[in-house]
């Protein structure tokens, strides 16, 4: 089995201008992707790849270097500029492109960056394709293309990507949604959705108040966005808005706020969307991090629940294998299938909820009562290394002891982040004080062994 050195759970990610995102490595990555694209498109025509980025100051540097490797393999690079990740996925599918590349670290802090890849179907690249690219990164032969003169690729400005996304959202997927008279607040996280997402809402007739929509390359995700929905809630209440939603840096996650200021995470959103699922059908897909209340709701309604590891790629894979059309993560990354399209799009998800509000005549606060949420404590613990958790004897004993005590009324999940040097602790149960105590014990055990 190939031991991965570059790809994590969501592409390649790290500190920009360092490690796997050092310019020398990024150029090798560009060559490796170029070789993989060329293998998949061996004909005389140059394959086309869409390249977009979020608003980080390091984005143009990484994009430019990445493009250089692709161009050297005779691949045309369509430069879409700053654009949300889901817009890239949609355009790749719609324009029959060979690949989509997004330079973004999503919700991570500004100094980080990353590279996400989408196949021709608009979905994340397969594990097998990523393994091939990993091998090519370390092969010097992958960088010797022998192409010169007219055979190299072209770098083409591609503002059309943004217009294609706007057209699809407003005139196709939401052509029957009228938001006239609705006041909506959008927290754009100073990220990739800062310009285009307010335009989508305005085109549907909404009165839009966009906040944190002034990116300067340094302020992406800084005290704004999906992790700071309480600040959005203040604006929603003050402005007497019908609802609000927060995006992350590249626009694929969403957290919503109802008209009273109540915050809805991914589980709340999935619970509302579950009303669109027929009992006995393919069901709904969510991860091990989802609240027990969501499972209880689905069981009561006779809706199948499919559980996956954390990561939107695993959610999408299970949706494909089961035929489910709705899936997602508590973090706010919701995946919806619309015909042949797959949407892991914060704005798209929020608009689907707005459709339900319009159809039922209910405010978002009323829809949000669908799920009886179990108390849940989440803790992130910085770690110096990531040995197998099964080798941490103190942690294992602490977890075993507390799980026995919680029984069927609670659960414990400890895992490593796939994108950061963190261990994530989740404890869930009916007694908030009790689960807080359990979480503290687990955190202490982790800090003692690998903190």
């Amino acid at each position: 089995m190939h031991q991965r050195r570059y790809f994590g759970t969501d592409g390649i990610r790290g500190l920009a201008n360092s490690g796997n995102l050092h310019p020398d490595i990024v150029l090798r990555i560009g060559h490796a992707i170029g070789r993989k694209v060329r293998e998949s498109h061996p004909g005389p025509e140059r394959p086309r790849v869409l390249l977009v980025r979020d608003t980080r100051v390091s984005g143009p540097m990484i994009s430019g270097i990445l493009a250089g490797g692709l161009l050297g393999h005779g691949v045309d690079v369509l430069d879409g500029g700053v654009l949300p990740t889901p817009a890239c996925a949609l355009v790749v599918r719609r324009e029959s492109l060979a690949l989509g590349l997004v330079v973004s670290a999503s919700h991570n802090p500004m100094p980080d960056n990353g590279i996400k890849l989408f196949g021709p179907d608009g979905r994340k690249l397969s594990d097998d394709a990523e393994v091939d690219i990993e091998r090519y990164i370390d092969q010097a032969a992958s960088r010797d293309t022998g192409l010169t003169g007219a055979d190299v690729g072209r770098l083409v400005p591609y503002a059309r990507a943004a217009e294609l996304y706007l057209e699809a959202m407003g005139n196709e997927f939401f052509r029957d949604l009228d938001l006239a008279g609705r006041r909506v607040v959008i927290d754009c996280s100073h990220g990739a959705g800062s310009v285009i997402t307010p335009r989508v809402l305005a085109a549907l007739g909404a009165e839009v108040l966009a906040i944190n929509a002034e990116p300067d390359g340094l302020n992406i995700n800084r005290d704004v966005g999906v992790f700071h929905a309480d600040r959005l809630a203040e604006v929603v209440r003050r402005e007497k808005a019908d609802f609000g939603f927060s995006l992350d840096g590249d626009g694929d996650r969403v957290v919503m706020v109802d008209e009273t200021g109540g915050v809805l995470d991914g589980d709340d959103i999935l619970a509302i969307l579950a009303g669109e699922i027929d009992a006995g059908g393919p069901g709904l897909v969510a991860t091990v991090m989802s609240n027990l209340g969501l499972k209880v709701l689905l069981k009561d309604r006779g809706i199948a629940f499919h559980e996956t590891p954390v990561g939107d790629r695993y959610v999408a894979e299970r949706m494909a294998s089961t035929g489910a059309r709705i899936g997602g993560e508590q973090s706010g990354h919701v995946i919806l299938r619309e015909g042949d399209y797959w949407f892991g799009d914060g704005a798209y998800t929020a608009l689907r909820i707005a459709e339900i509000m319009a159809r039922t005549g209910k405010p978002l606060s009323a829809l949000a009562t669908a799920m009886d949420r179990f108390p849940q404590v989440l803790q992130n613990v910085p770690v110096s290394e990531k040995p197998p958790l099964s080798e941490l004897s103190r942690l294992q004993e602490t977890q075993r002891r507390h799980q026995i005590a919680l029984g069927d009324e609670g659960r414990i999940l400890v895992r490593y982040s796939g994108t950061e040097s963190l261990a994530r602790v989740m404890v869930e149960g009916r007694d908030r004080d009790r689960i807080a105590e359990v979480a503290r014990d687990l955190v202490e055990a982790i800090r003692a062994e690998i903190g």
Side-chain angles (χ1 to χ4, degrees):
M1 182 177 178
H2 176 76
Q3 182 65 40
R4 293 186 176 222
R5 291 180 50 202
Y6 302 98
F7 284 91
T9 56
D10 194 13
I12 299 170
R13 197 171 297 188
L15 185 63
N17 207 34
S18 176
N20 286 341
L21 293 181
H22 186 280
D24 291 344
I25 305 298
V26 174
L27 183 57
R28 286 164 49 188
I29 293 169
H31 278 295
I33 296 171
R35 175 178 171 181
K36 182 64 179 176
V37 170
R38 266 304 190 181
E39 286 180 350
S40 303
H41 298 77
E45 291 188 6
R46 292 188 304 274
R48 298 184 301 161
V49 167
L50 177 62
L51 175 62
V52 307
R53 64 182 186 273
D54 68 21
T55 57
R56 292 165 212 269
V57 69
S58 60
M61 173 186 72
I62 294 173
S63 297
I65 298 168
L66 196 63
L70 288 157
L71 296 170
H73 282 264
V75 176
D76 285 354
V77 176
L78 310 182
D79 182 5
V82 173
L83 206 63
T85 291
C88 177
L90 183 146
V91 172
V92 166
R93 167 88 186 187
R94 183 161 292 242
E95 295 291 275
S96 301
L97 303 180
L99 201 71
L101 292 173
V102 182
V103 174
S104 172
S106 191
H107 60 280
N108 282 27
M110 179 277 296
D112 291 347
N113 217 321
I115 302 169
K116 301 183 182 186
L117 294 88
F118 292 87
D121 59 357
R123 294 173 58 191
K124 295 282 179 69
L125 212 58
S126 69
D127 285 339
D128 289 344
E130 288 184 351
V131 168
D132 286 343
I133 291 170
E134 285 233 341
R135 292 195 180 104
Y136 297 159
I137 292 171
D138 293 324
Q139 292 178 6
S142 298
R143 303 188 285 280
D144 297 327
T145 68
L147 299 180
T148 59
D151 293 330
V152 301
R154 275 63 162 168
L155 180 64
V156 183
Y158 202 68
R160 173 173 163 77
E163 298 308 316
L164 283 169
Y165 177 73
L166 281 168
E167 178 183 344
M169 294 288 276
N171 297 331
E172 182 175 347
F173 299 112
F174 295 101
R175 60 180 175 270
D176 296 326
L177 177 59
D178 183 4
L179 293 179
R182 296 277 192 179
R183 178 174 255 198
V184 183
V185 184
I186 312 171
D187 181 348
C188 299
S189 201
H190 298 305
S194 294
V195 173
I196 197 165
T197 307
R199 288 180 63 190
V200 171
L201 271 289
L204 294 171
E207 179 186 350
V208 183
L209 175 57
I211 63 173
N212 303 317
E214 299 176 349
D216 61 9
L218 305 176
N219 58 3
I220 185 172
N221 296 327
R222 189 171 66 200
D223 300 326
V224 297
V226 293
F227 294 127
H228 301 276
D230 54 324
R231 301 183 182 186
L232 170 64
E234 293 176 7
V235 180
V236 169
R237 286 193 299 265
R238 184 179 69 239
E239 297 295 328
K240 296 181 173 54
D242 292 277
F243 66 94
F245 62 94
S246 291
L247 302 173
D248 64 346
D250 70 335
D252 59 3
R253 293 191 186 193
V254 65
V255 171
M256 299 191 71
V257 170
D258 67 33
E259 76 283 359
T260 72
V263 176
L264 287 70
D265 66 11
D267 283 344
D268 297 303
I269 292 168
L270 288 173
I272 295 172
L273 292 169
E276 308 295 295
I277 301 175
D278 294 328
L284 181 147
V285 179
T287 76
V288 293
M289 292 295 288
S290 280
N291 194 278
L292 279 172
L294 179 61
K295 298 181 182 180
V296 171
L297 170 71
L298 296 175
K299 182 178 179 180
D300 290 346
R301 293 184 178 179
I303 297 171
F305 174 77
H306 307 282
E307 189 173 77
T308 74
V310 172
D312 64 281
R313 66 160 54 244
Y314 303 116
V315 172
E317 287 170 2
R318 186 65 63 85
M319 289 173 66
S321 67
T322 62
R325 307 196 69 80
I326 299 173
E329 301 185 89
Q330 186 186 70
S331 63
H333 197 145
V334 176
I335 300 176
L336 302 172
R337 294 172 65 182
E338 176 84 22
D340 293 330
Y341 287 91
W342 293 70
F343 290 92
D345 184 340
Y348 183 94
T349 299
L351 289 172
R352 284 298 177 216
I353 297 297
E355 280 188 329
I356 296 172
M357 292 169 62
R359 187 174 68 249
T360 62
K362 294 180 179 179
L364 186 52
S365 61
L367 296 175
T369 61
M371 182 178 70
D372 183 14
R373 177 178 292 273
F374 280 50
Q376 192 178 72
V377 173
L378 302 172
Q379 296 278 346
N380 291 328
V381 189
V383 296
S384 57
E385 55 181 330
K386 293 183 178 180
L389 292 171
S390 60
E391 296 179 0
L392 304 180
S393 58
R394 176 173 170 177
L395 172 64
Q396 291 300 311
E397 174 56 28
T398 303
Q399 183 169 342
R400 185 193 66 81
R401 173 167 48 84
H402 282 304
Q403 186 61 71
I404 290 173
L406 288 170
D408 294 336
E409 292 293 300
R411 64 188 181 118
I412 297 169
L413 178 66
V414 182
R415 67 179 184 88
Y416 291 121
S417 167
T419 59
E420 299 175 87
S421 297
L422 297 172
R424 303 198 193 277
V425 174
M426 186 276 286
V427 185
E428 195 171 53
R430 292 193 181 276
D431 186 331
R432 181 172 293 279
D433 291 338
R434 174 68 178 127
I435 64 174
E437 177 186 338
V438 172
R440 283 194 298 270
D441 284 354
L442 293 166
V443 168
E444 287 177 7
I446 293 171
R447 286 174 174 162
E449 295 191 280
I450 55 172

